[in-house]
Amino acid sequence: MNSIKSFLGFIIFFSIFPVFSSAQAPITVSKEEIKYPQFRFQGLFQARYLNDFTDRVDAVTGQHYLDDNAVQSTFDVKRMRVGVEAGLAEHFDIAVLANLAEFKSDPKGKVLENAFARYIFNKNIGLLVGQFRPAFGIEELKPADILRSFDYSNQYSEFANNGWTGFQMGVSLFGEFKLAEMPVVYTFSVVNGNGRNQVSDKDNGKQYLSRFGFTLNKKQNIVLGINGGVGEVFKDKVFAIGLDLTADFKLADKLLLQTQLEAKQGINHYLYYNLPAQTRTINLNDCQMRGAYFLPNLRYEIYYQKLTAIEFSCRYEYFDKNFKIDSNARQTLTPMTGLEFGKGYTGRIEIGMQLDNYKHNIPNTTAYNSNMLIVQLQGRFF
């Protein structure tokens, strides 16, 4: 682990060095110099109606109740994001993103999502420092407002709990290069691994992540992603790996089939350390999670008045958060129909179902079958 830290330190030092050295060069100011700072604002509103048709299952939390305390039908504001990117100089900017909808419950450790500074030396290398989502799969590369389903997958949420996805504190190097004639994008990140808005690292351990994306075919957007990470949590070694594939197929002039396939596996130290000490096994490696999903999205572009496109998607996901010693696999089917208004999902109306089926129903927990109707309205500006 010490050798990895030394190697990353070496890379970061020589990445930052050109900034300091260039400060010694004389600066010439032209008449048409771009004035800084420059600001770019963005926002996202997502509101939902939820109705779970399974008796005694709460629509928001998925919690099963033995009595009649479950709220099976409700309206909810899922996200009310506001953000700004401030360009401070050429290639140097700061980004802030907050989700005001988090104030509806205990906001501790929530609300603030992105808070980072970014410097891009050139297309081959850039540096990002602060709170951000480290690249570790397809979903980490897409904001919630342009997902081709209602929300992120179950495996995304669990890997976020374990520090591999979601908003984390740390530093990241990123860029692109060519392997022969194949474009490749890469990311190396070092994070605390204990989520967003924390005072400091919980255990002095760090998690090291990497991702390589290989563009196999530009025309059909066929990209193969390879993800891997190692780290240390409470002095125990942890790991995570993942593979993903995207491909788009033009079926007709205005008809497009967009597909995503992703699989991940890793140690679930978040679950392990939240179990009572007397129920844990001696070996952390016994507690592992794995999952995969396939998401096809059929998009028909209309461009009729305000209506841009109609989409039909159906994500199938298999996820087991402890498959080695206490397996209770969750299979989720999420069929959805969406109407897009404007460009880039400026306006969006979605309706569909989330159908959860567990290997074993466990009463009075969230591990319980449910059949939920979702109607979602989205508006965004950028």
Side-chain angles (χ1 to χ4, degrees):
M1 189 64 68
N2 290 332
S3 61
I4 296 177
K5 293 179 180 178
S6 300
F7 174 71
L8 288 172
F10 177 82
I11 293 178
I12 293 172
F13 173 78
F14 279 97
S15 300
I16 299 174
F17 181 75
V19 180
F20 297 103
S21 62
S22 63
Q24 308 302 318
I27 300 174
T28 57
V29 180
S30 65
K31 294 181 180 180
E32 299 181 358
E33 180 183 7
I34 299 175
K35 293 184 178 180
Y36 293 98
Q38 294 186 334
F39 297 96
R40 177 175 172 266
F41 296 93
Q42 58 180 307
L44 169 67
F45 172 75
Q46 284 182 339
R48 295 176 168 184
Y49 170 71
L50 307 173
N51 193 330
D52 202 307
F53 297 122
T54 306
D55 289 339
R56 299 182 176 179
V57 173
D58 190 274
V60 175
T61 65
Q63 172 77 33
H64 175 263
Y65 290 86
L66 297 176
D67 50 29
D68 294 323
N69 287 334
V71 177
Q72 294 180 229
S73 174
T74 185
F75 293 97
D76 175 52
V77 176
K78 178 66 176 177
R79 293 180 177 90
M80 182 58 251
R81 282 176 166 168
V82 289
V84 60
E85 292 183 6
L88 305 183
E90 187 177 7
H91 306 307
F92 179 45
D93 64 348
I94 291 176
V96 177
L97 180 66
N99 182 11
L100 303 184
E102 300 284 11
F103 282 112
K104 65 190 176 185
S105 59
D106 184 1
K108 184 179 180 180
K110 302 178 182 178
V111 184
L112 184 63
E113 296 183 333
N114 278 333
F116 61 78
R118 173 175 50 199
Y119 189 89
I120 300 175
F121 299 98
N122 52 53
K123 69 176 183 178
N124 301 116
I125 187 167
L127 178 68
L128 190 150
V129 180
Q131 183 169 285
F132 56 92
R133 291 199 302 159
F136 201 71
I138 301 172
E139 294 178 296
E140 292 77 86
L141 305 178
K142 298 180 181 296
D145 35 345
I146 62 171
L147 291 176
R148 292 163 187 165
S149 192
F150 290 109
D151 213 334
Y152 295 105
S153 64
N154 301 321
Q155 71 178 26
Y156 174 86
S157 301
E158 196 66 22
F159 276 78
N161 289 336
N162 283 272
W164 304 111
T165 62
F167 298 98
Q168 306 291 335
M169 289 286 296
V171 59
S172 182
L173 288 172
F174 61 91
E176 61 181 79
F177 61 91
K178 282 194 174 183
L179 186 62
E181 294 300 317
M182 180 191 303
V184 181
V185 295
Y186 72 89
T187 306
F188 296 105
S189 304
V190 184
V191 298
N192 285 339
N194 55 318
R196 53 181 165 161
N197 305 335
Q198 304 298 318
V199 175
S200 66
D201 194 0
K202 64 182 182 295
D203 61 351
N204 208 37
K206 297 295 178 285
Q207 292 173 226
Y208 304 84
L209 307 81
S210 63
R211 172 178 172 80
F212 290 90
F214 302 89
T215 302
L216 306 180
N217 186 303
K218 284 187 178 180
K219 184 178 180 181
Q220 295 182 324
N221 191 32
I222 300 177
V223 179
L224 172 66
I226 300 176
N227 313 279
V230 295
E232 188 175 85
V233 177
F234 297 119
K235 299 184 179 179
D236 285 321
K237 306 300 182 184
V238 296
F239 79 91
I241 55 174
L243 286 173
D244 55 75
L245 183 69
T246 61
D248 298 338
F249 305 96
K250 191 170 183 179
L251 306 180
D253 184 38
K254 296 183 179 181
L255 189 62
L256 183 66
L257 177 62
Q258 303 165 306
T259 62
Q260 297 178 7
L261 177 65
E262 187 165 6
K264 287 191 174 98
Q265 180 171 325
I267 290 178
N268 195 340
H269 58 265
Y270 175 81
L271 173 62
Y272 181 84
Y273 289 115
N274 278 282
L275 292 172
Q278 62 273 19
T279 65
R280 301 176 194 162
T281 64
I282 298 175
N283 190 357
L284 171 62
N285 198 55
D286 290 335
C287 192
Q288 290 194 32
M289 55 186 170
R290 68 179 175 190
Y293 73 83
F294 176 60
L295 173 57
N297 182 62
L298 190 64
R299 176 181 174 85
Y300 182 68
E301 297 180 343
I302 296 178
Y303 295 107
Y304 177 73
Q305 294 185 359
K306 300 295 182 180
L307 182 61
T308 303
I310 299 178
E311 295 185 330
F312 303 93
S313 69
C314 187
R315 180 173 64 199
Y316 168 76
E317 181 179 7
Y318 176 96
F319 183 71
D320 196 334
K321 63 180 181 180
N322 193 8
F323 70 88
K324 277 194 168 186
I325 57 176
D326 189 21
S327 177
N328 190 17
R330 175 183 182 181
Q331 297 186 70
T332 303
L333 196 65
T334 312
M336 185 195 81
T337 299
L339 302 177
E340 178 188 354
F341 300 90
K343 294 182 179 180
Y345 295 132
T346 299
R348 198 180 189 191
I349 300 174
E350 302 157 290
I351 182 170
M353 298 285 294
Q354 180 176 298
L355 311 172
D356 282 315
N357 185 24
Y358 285 87
K359 184 179 179 181
H360 307 293
N361 273 335
I362 304 176
N364 209 32
T365 70
T366 57
Y368 204 90
N369 295 349
S370 68
N371 302 288
M372 184 167 61
L373 170 71
I374 304 174
V375 181
Q376 181 167 284
L377 172 66
Q378 170 177 303
R380 67 189 292 248
F381 63 89
F382 50 94

